[in-house]
Amino acid sequence: MYRSLSVRQKQIVWAWAFLAIPVVFYAVIRFYPTFNAMVISFQDWNLLGDRAWAGWKNYDKLWNDPVFWKVFKNTFVYLLIGTPVSLVVSFAIAYHLDKLRFMHGFLRMLYFLPFMTSAVAMAWVWRWFYQPVPIGLFNNFLAATGIPQIEFLRSTSFALPAILAPAVWAGLGFQVIIFMAGLRAIPRSYYEAARIDGVSNWTVLFEITIPLLKPTIVFIVVFSSIGFLRIFDHVFNMTTGDPGGPLNSTKPLVLMIYQSAFTDFNMGYAAAQTVVLFLILLIVSLVQLRILRDR
Amino acid sequence: MYGIRFKSATVAIGTVLALAAGTAKAEVEIEYWQYFFDARVSAMEQLIENFEAANPDIKVTMTHFPYADYRTKVAAAIPAGEGPDVVQLFYGWLNDYVAANLIQPLPNDAFPPDMIGEEFFPMVGAMRDGDNYWALPTAVRSLALFYNKRLFEEAGIDGPPKTLDELVETAKKLTKTDAAGNITQVGITAGMNAQDHHWFREVLVRQFGGDPYQDDYKTVNYNSDAGVMAAEFYVGLANEHKVTAFGFMDEPQAAFKAGRAGMHIDGSFRIGSLNKTRGLSWGVTELPMNADGMKSNYSSYWVNAITTKAEGEKYDAAVKFMQYVTSDEAMQIWLDVVGELPAKPSVGLTEANANDDVFGPFIRGLAYANTTKFANESAQRQILIDMVQRIDLEGQSAADSIAAAAEAEQKLLDEYYN
């Protein structure tokens, strides 16, 4: 039967034969679990025993759960502080690093290093930095200079920024590299023309560099937004004694999902939160792509 | 895992050789599952060795998993007809395991309920349902007050405190601060995230005249004067007497191990790791009583049960194995290897064990211990962590904070039981 096909048809058959691998992979590894999670979100299931249909119960519980709204807010605080801060800082570093020739490769490596480090190891080291006297690095320094110590992780107002700082730092290396690649891709001739016209550095930055970096910025904003909306390892490891910080002040949605599923064994409730997170990620990504692309 | 695989491989080769020689008797193989904790695994290896020596026709294979995966694996394996014939579970999980049809009741002839009721410590009664026991422990744990002998000597204190008032006074002498007023050594560790939530529930609330729960732990009852006084006492250790700081050195047990804490309340399972801490000279004593001399304690335990997968000759072998792991001999081995206390007074309260410097205080504590029936231990613990933090960080009154905690916990219990 294969022999009777035309060359064009044979090409199509082969194309599909090769495509079948990623298609099957996506169907089994991605779409099936996603679909299953949506089904579980309408069920009651404690991992042991049978699943029972629960209708909208899990979503109803979520709507009326004050912890969920607290966590919802935290998740957006991570996003709304984390993304702009990391964007500005990484651009500033990349912009200046790009102009620097002395030890360029070494410095770039230093900025990239945290990105390659395990988030768990990093979180535990920062957890130690933030401890109160007598062991914490920062507080020992404050105590030595006579300044009252700050309860970084045991404070309802400082805990979230304290956790966000190493998370921003960890992602910086990657963003710096992407920005530098973007900067290199801008044709030199624009800068030369600007110099001949005698334009100031600020004008060059705002009229040439940033507009031409738009695709890079779009990529980094979308990428880091998704990262901050899914923040988990830093929070989990820095607050294991009281997961999610004092009075849930640092708990992001992913940690709440984890706790519902694997400490409360309430799989239906966890799945409902997952569906909500999925919708948030979808909406945020679509909005960002729309806003940053057509203007 | 390698050790076990290697062992089963050698056993398998031995079996093959024996079969080839034509002398082997048919062997029944049963599987035992527990979560991974070094001392528990080596204790169980010893028990299995002794059991196999006494029952040459039964072979027991042990498998262990990291604690985090344990429940998932058990839940997936047993309904599929795979996995363990005898399984270890936390006492608080019993309801879930029974409801999911994962375990079967112990047979009455091999485990007569009345005899068990007499022989075991009373809290094991929670495993009984009507005429049957569902599961039985090898060992139980309770709380006691650890103290740092070197710091006591340095502060010129002759012995550990016996009452709550003495506890506060002793702790004051042990507390050190730096020039800026920051605590650098705590008199007593504090943290609801460690064992303190048990101390609060089952000990302090009772000692201040309350009864933490009613209706077989289905109704929260600490929203009372006693509960408020207990909360004021507990938070007062940090805020009023300034003999401790919450979150000091990250974890209470870390502070005690590092020699930065005079006293520390913890469970008998901590003995092993404290013994391994070099340069720490520690003692242990019963939890302090209240002014009227009332004592209380909290105990918990892990149990073993026969799964619904075990049938026929495997079931018979599993029953024999259960009988052995709940025997006096097994309990003594568990005490010596793991440091967890025997579940029967006949073993625990022997002259040697009850007067032991280290195990004695824990074993004596069992006599007046209570066992909380948790619906969701970590969620119920979180409620007490939050209760303390509302007082400590947000300045809420103890009465309001206790009321809010009781309401949250009652909601959780209602959801679980209905």
Side-chain angles (χ1 to χ4, degrees):
Chain A
M1 186 183 139
Y2 177 73
R3 287 179 181 212
S4 63
L5 297 176
S6 69
V7 173
R8 172 114 185 93
Q9 284 167 326
K10 281 180 182 171
Q11 279 175 338
I12 292 171
V13 168
W14 277 106
W16 272 106
F18 285 110
L19 276 176
I21 296 164
V23 167
V24 168
F25 176 84
Y26 263 87
V28 175
I29 307 291
R30 300 267 186 203
F31 299 143
Y32 169 71
T34 309
F35 176 72
N36 217 346
M38 288 179 184
V39 173
I40 293 174
S41 74
F42 292 100
Q43 292 175 325
D44 259 342
W45 187 34
N46 69 353
L47 260 186
L48 312 172
D50 297 327
R51 304 179 188 181
W53 288 100
W56 291 94
K57 196 190 110 192
N58 290 319
Y59 290 95
D60 187 52
K61 186 179 169 190
L62 203 59
W63 184 261
N64 294 308
D65 188 346
V67 177
F68 171 71
W69 291 109
K70 172 87 191 158
V71 162
F72 191 82
K73 191 189 131 212
N74 289 342
T75 308
F76 277 92
V77 173
Y78 281 117
L79 171 73
L80 295 176
I81 301 179
T83 302
V85 167
S86 66
L87 192 74
V88 169
V89 174
S90 64
F91 177 74
I93 292 170
Y95 183 73
H96 292 288
L97 202 57
D98 188 52
K99 300 194 164 159
L100 190 74
R101 286 289 153 262
F102 178 67
M103 297 223 296
H104 177 88
F106 178 70
L107 284 171
R108 200 171 51 182
M109 187 271 287
L110 282 189
Y111 281 112
F112 198 63
L113 216 52
F115 184 70
M116 299 193 299
T117 312
S118 141
V120 177
M122 194 187 291
W124 278 86
V125 170
W126 280 79
R127 178 177 176 156
W128 164 60
F129 285 171
Y130 284 137
Q131 288 303 309
V133 175
I135 51 171
L137 187 79
F138 297 148
N139 276 323
N140 271 342
F141 176 74
L142 291 179
T145 52
I147 301 170
Q149 60 173 334
I150 300 171
E151 292 268 19
F152 290 102
L153 296 175
R154 262 189 53 77
S155 146
T156 45
S157 41
F158 293 128
L160 195 146
I163 287 174
L164 190 55
V168 167
W169 177 59
L172 223 51
F174 179 74
Q175 301 187 2
V176 167
I177 297 290
I178 300 290
F179 263 130
M180 284 180 59
L183 286 170
R184 290 286 161 89
I186 299 173
R188 292 283 118 196
S189 52
Y190 294 160
Y191 292 110
E192 282 157 12
R195 204 179 302 150
I196 291 164
D197 288 348
V199 182
S200 79
N201 278 342
W202 283 108
T203 317
V204 171
L205 177 64
F206 286 105
E207 298 299 328
I208 299 176
T209 310
I210 291 179
L212 286 172
L213 272 179
K214 200 165 207 176
T216 313
I217 294 172
V218 172
F219 172 76
I220 290 179
V221 167
V222 172
F223 195 84
S224 84
S225 301
I226 293 175
F228 284 113
L229 284 172
R230 295 194 312 185
I231 189 167
F232 174 77
D233 6 20
H234 286 90
V235 191
F236 181 71
N237 285 290
M238 288 173 77
T239 62
T240 45
D242 177 7
L247 301 171
N248 297 314
S249 54
T250 68
K251 193 181 282 180
L253 193 46
V254 183
L255 181 54
M256 187 175 169
I257 294 172
Y258 174 83
Q259 285 186 309
S260 302
F262 300 111
T263 58
D264 299 345
F265 301 112
N266 195 343
M267 303 311 277
Y269 194 40
Q273 294 164 39
T274 317
V275 172
V276 171
L277 177 65
F278 171 74
L279 292 177
I280 294 173
L281 286 172
L282 191 68
I283 293 167
V284 168
S285 305
L286 290 177
V287 166
Q288 284 176 340
L289 285 173
R290 171 67 42 104
I291 290 176
L292 290 164
R293 212 156 255 175
D294 320 329
R295 201 170 33 172
Chain B
M1 208 67 124
Y2 281 114
I4 291 162
R5 253 189 228 147
F6 177 68
K7 197 178 150 199
S8 45
T10 44
V11 172
I13 292 165
T15 316
V16 170
L17 290 178
L19 280 174
T23 52
K25 207 176 147 192
E27 224 183 34
V28 186
E29 189 179 331
I30 57 170
E31 262 197 69
Y32 176 75
W33 279 18
Q34 68 169 337
Y35 79 93
F36 180 77
F37 187 84
D38 211 4
R40 293 166 156 270
V41 170
S42 54
M44 189 42 80
E45 275 168 1
Q46 217 168 315
L47 292 184
I48 289 175
E49 205 170 296
N50 293 351
F51 176 73
E52 286 179 345
N55 300 277
D57 54 333
I58 303 175
K59 200 173 96 55
V60 183
T61 319
M62 171 170 56
T63 309
H64 47 73
F65 301 100
Y67 183 77
D69 300 344
Y70 191 68
R71 185 172 169 124
T72 330
K73 301 250 187 200
V74 170
I78 296 174
E82 300 283 326
D85 300 287
V86 178
V87 68
Q88 189 188 60
L89 58 141
F90 192 58
Y91 78 96
W93 301 348
L94 187 82
N95 288 341
D96 291 348
Y97 274 60
V98 171
N101 197 27
L102 295 178
I103 56 176
Q104 47 183 320
L106 300 172
N108 274 343
D109 46 341
F111 298 92
D114 294 332
M115 210 174 83
I116 290 172
E118 278 168 32
E119 282 185 357
F120 281 77
F121 277 112
M123 63 256 180
V124 179
M127 296 295 108
R128 184 174 180 165
D129 182 25
D131 290 335
N132 288 93
Y133 275 86
W134 282 96
L136 284 175
T138 302
V140 293
R141 335 126 117 196
S142 62
L143 302 178
L145 180 72
F146 289 89
Y147 60 97
N148 186 318
K149 285 184 177 168
R150 198 162 292 156
L151 298 183
F152 267 57
E153 221 166 90
E154 193 187 289
I157 306 164
D158 16 285
K162 298 223 162 23
T163 64
L164 290 176
D165 292 339
E166 283 175 33
L167 180 84
V168 174
E169 292 313 309
T170 311
K172 280 181 183 167
K173 291 180 197 156
L174 290 161
T175 309
K176 285 184 190 165
T177 51
D178 64 9
N182 302 314
I183 291 186
T184 54
Q185 177 178 308
V186 292
I188 181 168
T189 60
M192 281 289 181
N193 54 345
Q195 299 298 312
D196 284 5
H197 75 109
H198 297 307
W199 185 43
F200 178 81
R201 254 182 253 278
E202 294 293 1
V203 184
L204 289 179
V205 171
R206 288 177 195 277
Q207 286 180 329
F208 281 92
D211 188 4
Y213 297 88
Q214 280 182 338
D215 192 17
D216 200 25
Y217 289 92
K218 287 176 188 154
T219 307
V220 180
N221 193 40
Y222 55 69
N223 184 13
S224 60
D225 290 349
V228 174
M229 282 193 286
E232 278 168 352
F233 171 82
Y234 183 76
V235 180
L237 289 174
N239 294 355
E240 186 191 333
H241 301 297
K242 308 215 182 293
V243 295
T244 192
F246 298 113
F248 179 76
M249 289 192 69
D250 206 37
E251 285 182 340
Q253 49 98 4
F256 188 74
K257 270 194 198 167
R260 292 275 192 168
M263 294 176 284
H264 170 59
I265 288 173
D266 213 330
S268 34
F269 42 82
R270 190 68 64 200
I271 295 168
S273 82
L274 290 180
N275 275 334
K276 282 186 209 150
T277 309
R278 281 175 56 190
L280 183 71
S281 158
W282 56 276
V284 62
T285 185
E286 283 177 74
L287 292 181
M289 49 200 180
N290 70 3
D292 305 328
M294 185 211 166
K295 296 174 175 182
S296 185
N297 205 317
Y298 163 77
S299 89
S300 64
Y301 47 95
W302 285 76
V303 290
N304 291 306
I306 301 177
T307 67
T308 43
K309 178 208 154 197
E311 284 170 353
E313 55 180 6
K314 289 197 180 212
Y315 177 76
D316 298 334
V319 170
K320 276 190 188 168
F321 185 62
M322 272 296 294
Q323 279 178 315
Y324 180 67
V325 296
T326 54
S327 67
D328 293 11
E329 180 189 322
M331 288 179 189
Q332 188 66 45
I333 291 176
W334 205 265
L335 174 69
D336 296 336
V337 179
V338 189
E340 287 187 324
L341 317 167
K344 287 182 192 170
S346 60
V347 193
L349 296 176
T350 59
E351 199 73 3
N353 285 342
N355 291 326
D356 190 280
D357 277 348
V358 173
F359 298 124
F362 293 99
I363 291 174
R364 293 197 295 277
L366 285 176
Y368 47 82
N370 298 285
T371 298
T372 319
K373 284 191 189 168
F374 285 108
N376 177 348
E377 187 179 349
S378 49
Q380 284 170 277
R381 182 187 72 156
Q382 188 66 50
I383 287 168
L384 288 188
I385 294 177
D386 292 351
M387 184 276 287
V388 167
Q389 278 170 340
R390 281 193 300 269
I391 302 174
D392 183 41
L393 301 177
E394 296 189 328
Q396 200 178 36
S397 75
D400 290 348
S401 192
I402 279 283
E407 193 194 326
E409 190 166 352
Q410 188 60 56
K411 193 173 158 226
L412 189 144
L413 292 176
D414 288 345
E415 259 174 36
Y416 181 80
Y417 288 110
N418 298 323

